[in-house]
Amino acid sequence: MKQGKLCLLVFLLLLSKSFAQYQSALNSSEIYQKIQQLNVLGSVLYIAAHPDDENTALISYFANHKKVQTAYLSLTRGDGGQNLIGPELREKLGLIRTQELIAARSIDGGQQFFSRANDFGYSKTPEETFSFWNKPEILHDVVLAIRRFKPDIIINRFDHRTSGTTHGHHTASAILSLEAVKKAADPHYKLKSSFNFPTWHVKRVFFNTSWWFYGSQEKFDAADKSNMIKLDKGLYSSITGKSNTEIASQSRSQHKSQGFGNTPIRGQQPEYLELVYGKPLQSNDIFEDINTHWSGLENGKSVQKQLDKIIQNYDFTAPEKSIEALIDLRKKIKTVKNKHWKDIKLKALDNIIAACAGLYLENVTQKALATPQDKLNLRFEVTQRSGSPLTLEKFWIKGLGVNQTLNHQLSTNQPFHTTVSAKIPAKTAYSNPYWLNKKPSLGLYKVPNDSLIGLPETNAAFEVTYQFKIKQETIQYKVPVLYKYNDPIAGEVFEPFYVVPPISIGLPNKQLIFAENTPKDIQVELKAFRKDITGELIFDLPENWKYTSENKNLHFKEKGEIKTVKLRVFPPKHSAQAQLKISFKHQNKNYPYTVSFIDYPHIPKQVLLEPAELKLNRLDLKTKAEKIAYLVGAGDAVPEALKVMNYKVDLLHLDQLTSAQKLEQYDAILLGIRAFNVLPELKFKNYWLFDYVKNGGNLIVQYNTSRGLVTEELAPYPLQLSRDRVTDENAKVTFIDKNHPVLNTPNVLEKSDFDNWVQERGLYFPNTWSDRFTPILSMGDPNESQTQGALLVAPYGKGYYIYTGLSLFRELPAGVPGAYRLLANLIALENEEN
């Protein structure tokens, strides 16, 4: 995994309680923009299915140009997608993509929400999607988002009327949106007991259409647009020095795990919205007949008058001159009867006041991690840099028992420092993404604490609440406790602070393959996150599996100390699967966790608690060949699967490969997923691979997407990819040539080898190929024609070229026995003519 340091200026203006949404201090023009946003009371909710589905230019347009409350509801966290920056898939990928969305919103000015829908992979119809998602539960979450956010306008990324023409998740998001609009207004529809949000009437719903949905620009130009409005999302702001499309490009580029780095297009950029619900428009204003001004609220006229005065008199060279008028504005907003807008605007106003005052708040620890009952030393800094009279009355930390009254008058640009020591309570919850605390179903995350549903992430482990007196007004700010250190290269670095279990149980792999009735050794690595801890390992295995270990009382003297325990596992005689569960027992309490970290430069460092479990597979598996090269593509866990099959595996990187002769040492070469999408060198070095095959090698190319290929020459013979895929993991598989060596040597494959596959059969199958290729398998989703492009084999010279779109990169980490047997046959394939 790539390692990176996340260097962030912390402060202050935290738009949420989460530690991933740090905000740097606002400059003068940004403060002015925030004041302008105080003056607008409209709201827009954008709804789609996945991270990266959102139209960041439109979100920026409404947040920064129209200055309305804008949010994106992504039904999933993108768990079912692919990862271009590393090997993480499923829940770990969802965690990365969650943080990428949060980062995107911090740039384009939107807020972020989610439902509990688990992205189970590609779906061809919304009906199939709902069969996995548990439609009533996800509908509840969309209604919750509407009643919580109270949007005047909803914009759907996708069309609810086009079932079967795009990803089923896409269409499902639009269907749910329109159903939820009606439920949100229905007093008989009840949310879960944790929520007391009243009914809400959305005024209009639009479909964010474009030429793409019509198939071509020509068809869209000819379409009836009488029910559409046209916006210019390319508007430029002299205040920020950027256009919405430039902001949107930065936002879009946060989706790095999907390879969505984006270059902005400047100038006019039309955007079309088709009305699908609500009162028809007589103008090009989606807020027609919707009062977005303070004058529409009781006691709002005085607020409007004061705001107009503040905007008119704002001094870009001295924002602190606005503080007194902003305090007066605060008093007026508190008299407004509308609680929803009063709470939103007071929070925004308090952040503006802090920015005008140049207020800097820092609360840090020198520990990145701690465990319950640990002592935590905290250092605080409070500095006001504008000359405004501020009094720090007190601060407290809920959950740590810290509460200090100070009544300290802050001097201009004179930092106030103090330190506090506190013991973390024994019952403090571990840091972990809330939606991963329980094992999810295939389509739905389980969130026992209803109050967390919809939130983008778990709150920080601890937050400091500061209370100030500013011109007789009491204002509070919440700032997360962070880990701070100095890096010789990056300088000052802030990272989230996490509470973790005292012991992490590390396993070399997530599964172990037994091809024979002989035992295998596992090295269990234990790492202490607390000093002076003693305990023993507990192993849980079914009766037909046996084990021995060096297990004895283990004592860890220092925090960070690592010990390794060897475990020998004896498999049963016949094919079987089992789950080995491991825990560390300390003072009659078991700790069954692996503490994992995800660390990339573009997102805050993430911690994840995973069950310390190992999948054991005793299967009938024969292998030939010994030494394999794996050419790393977009990132996957196939090399680890090859290693548990007892192959010797070298990871190759094309930029380090200087000679084709170096390939001759390998019995087989495998290309990682999407290699022809992400490795520019393959445009020239693909011929090295073809020559390797010609000289007797065995080359296995895994799936690539049909768009964005670095070369069309994927094979030594003509081969064309398509978007064909089989999404039903249980789809019937037919052997086209039952006698082909791929199906018989060294393992005789049966139809049962395609049982219990996960998420899908495969994707981006070729649909056109040379007659030199032999198709091996035929398969198709229900009610669809069969495709024969899932696995193609062609002799070339003395060797074999193999192309497969089968999702081995998912099946192997999931421990699907048939995937291992098939891969062993592909690797063992030899040209019988030679």
Side-chain angles (χ1 to χ4, degrees), residues 143-150 183-184 186 189 197-199:
V143 175
L144 168 63
I146 293 173
R147 289 187 178 178
R148 169 188 275 152
F149 188 67
K150 294 179 171 51
K183 296 292 186 184
D186 182 358
Y189 185 88
F197 297 111
T199 58

Side-chain angles (χ1 to χ4, degrees), residues 600-821:
Y600 287 102
H602 67 298
I603 61 174
K605 187 174 184 178
Q606 299 294 297
V607 69
L608 175 64
L609 303 187
E610 301 178 279
E613 297 179 357
L614 188 69
K615 190 170 187 177
L616 306 178
N617 255 321
R618 168 69 175 99
L619 54 86
D620 180 15
L621 176 67
K622 301 179 180 65
T623 60
K624 293 174 66 176
E626 293 184 357
K627 195 170 184 181
I628 294 173
Y630 198 85
L631 186 60
V632 179
D636 55 62
V638 175
E640 285 70 24
L642 292 169
K643 291 175 184 176
V644 301
M645 294 169 74
N646 292 329
Y647 294 115
K648 295 178 181 177
V649 182
D650 287 345
L651 296 182
L652 290 188
H653 298 273
L654 272 182
D655 57 352
Q656 300 171 353
L657 192 63
T658 58
S659 170
Q661 291 181 342
K662 293 185 178 181
L663 302 177
E664 296 175 0
Q665 61 181 303
Y666 298 110
D667 298 310
I669 298 176
L670 280 77
L671 267 63
I673 62 172
R674 299 178 74 168
F676 278 98
N677 297 120
V678 300
L679 301 179
E681 297 94 338
L682 277 177
K683 184 175 182 179
F684 310 102
K685 296 182 179 181
N686 54 346
Y687 291 102
W688 289 6
L689 299 174
F690 302 158
D691 286 344
Y692 162 79
V693 178
K694 192 174 183 179
N695 294 327
N698 188 9
L699 179 66
I700 303 167
V701 180
Q702 298 183 81
Y703 101 95
N704 293 270
T705 61
S706 55
R707 290 186 293 181
L709 293 168
V710 299
T711 176
E712 296 295 328
E713 296 181 74
L714 310 182
Y717 305 119
L719 179 75
Q720 183 174 331
L721 302 185
S722 72
R723 295 181 65 83
D724 293 347
R725 62 174 76 208
V726 177
T727 62
D728 185 350
E729 62 269 32
N730 299 310
K732 180 182 177 181
V733 176
T734 302
F735 294 173
I736 298 174
D737 181 358
K738 296 181 180 180
N739 297 320
H740 197 284
V742 164
L743 299 176
N744 293 278
T745 304
N747 302 285
V748 179
L749 299 187
E750 307 288 345
K751 298 294 178 63
S752 59
D753 285 302
F754 289 88
D755 292 344
N756 302 314
W757 281 45
V758 299
Q759 187 159 322
E760 62 201 355
R761 289 293 190 199
L763 61 171
Y764 292 97
F765 297 153
N767 62 355
T768 303
W769 54 83
S770 165
D771 57 10
R772 299 301 302 273
F773 284 101
T774 298
I776 305 298
L777 304 173
S778 174
M779 61 185 68
D781 282 323
N783 303 317
E784 292 189 5
S785 60
Q786 299 286 296
T787 177
Q788 297 185 350
L791 177 58
L792 301 173
V793 179
Y796 181 65
K798 298 178 181 180
Y800 269 104
Y801 175 95
I802 301 167
Y803 189 94
T804 179
L806 293 171
S807 58
L808 298 177
F809 72 103
R810 297 196 190 280
E811 313 312 319
L812 295 169
V816 177
Y820 281 92
R821 286 161 49 82

